[in-house]
């Protein structure tokens, strides 16, 4: 039997170091390293821009410097992916539409075949309440059980 040896070497696999402020924080394949570093640098730049904008807003309203970080955190929380509620269900619907590669019109027709009408779909996207009779069609559209949908909608870990 050819079992792999516990120690081996592969000189054709090359990894490059990724550094943060002059310190090596990890190693990665070169084809991924450039994208990772660009994304991380972009994220840092966006966070700095957000803090500058918050600083300007707080300064104009006569607030103190301690409010800048609080305001930036509030904006970051708003911009994040919702973890529960109708907004989370709307995002799941958008993800499902992307997964199926359907236009808005095609997806509305798709939802209608599961007995979720266009006005009901629009209401969910607008942040309206989800009614109990919509749970079964939504679960079928999203490919999950009603219990899984309710748990996700309420923000419970499954």
């Amino acid at each position: 039997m050819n079992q792999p040896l516990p120690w081996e070497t592969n000189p054709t696999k090359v990894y490059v170091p990724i550094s943060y402020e002059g310190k090596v924080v990890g190693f990665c394949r070169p084809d991924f390293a450039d994208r990772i570093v660009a994304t991380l640098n972009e994220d840092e730049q966006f966070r700095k821009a957000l803090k500058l904008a918050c600083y300007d807003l707080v300064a104009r309203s006569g607030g103190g410097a301690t409010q800048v970080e609080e305001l930036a955190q509030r904006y970051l929380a708003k911009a994040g992916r919702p973890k529960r509620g109708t907004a989370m269900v709307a995002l799941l619907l958008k993800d499902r539409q992307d997964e199926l590669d359907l236009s808005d019109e095609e997806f509305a027709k798709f939802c209608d075949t599961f007995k979720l009408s266009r006005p009901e779909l629009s209401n969910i996207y607008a942040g309206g309440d989800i009614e109990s009779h919509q749970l079964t069609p939504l679960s079928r559209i999203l490919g999950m059980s009603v219990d899984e949908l309710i748990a996700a909608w309420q923000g419970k870990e499954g």
Side-chain angles (χ1 to χ4, degrees):
M1 290 193 165
N2 287 337
Q3 293 206 358
L5 298 172
W7 291 88
E8 63 180 275
T9 182
N10 186 345
T12 61
K13 284 191 178 178
V14 179
Y15 293 92
V16 296
I18 296 179
S19 301
Y20 179 72
E21 295 181 349
K23 295 182 181 177
V24 175
V25 294
F27 294 88
C28 188
R29 290 183 4 204
D31 52 335
F32 292 118
D34 288 338
R35 286 195 330 221
I36 290 170
V37 168
T39 300
L40 291 171
N41 283 329
E42 205 172 78
D43 178 66
E44 189 137 338
Q45 184 178 6
F46 286 137
R47 285 180 184 270
K48 285 179 184 177
L50 173 64
K51 284 189 181 178
L52 287 172
C54 289
Y55 179 78
D56 288 347
L57 285 171
V58 168
R60 286 183 188 164
S61 68
T66 57
Q67 293 174 314
V68 172
E69 187 64 33
E70 181 183 311
L71 185 58
Q73 290 306 318
R74 277 199 344 235
Y75 280 125
L76 286 170
K78 283 182 181 179
R81 192 172 173 94
K83 294 182 179 18
R84 62 183 178 84
T86 303
M88 192 273 316
V89 173
L91 199 55
L92 288 175
L93 287 167
K94 274 302 200 189
D95 290 346
R96 183 68 170 145
Q97 179 181 350
D98 292 344
E99 181 183 308
L100 296 171
D101 194 26
L102 297 174
S103 69
D104 290 346
E105 181 67 26
E106 292 167 329
F107 189 67
K109 287 179 184 176
F110 172 78
C111 291
D112 196 42
T113 65
F114 289 98
K115 307 296 185 220
L116 185 70
S117 70
R118 190 179 305 259
E120 290 174 312
L121 183 62
S122 295
N123 184 53
I124 291 169
Y125 284 143
D129 290 335
I130 294 175
E131 300 187 19
S132 60
H133 72 274
Q134 296 172 326
L135 294 173
T136 300
L138 282 168
S139 70
R140 290 180 181 153
I141 292 164
L142 296 171
M144 56 177 50
S145 73
V146 173
D147 290 339
E148 290 171 325
L149 175 61
I150 291 171
W153 182 35
Q154 293 175 344
K156 296 178 182 172
E157 294 293 322

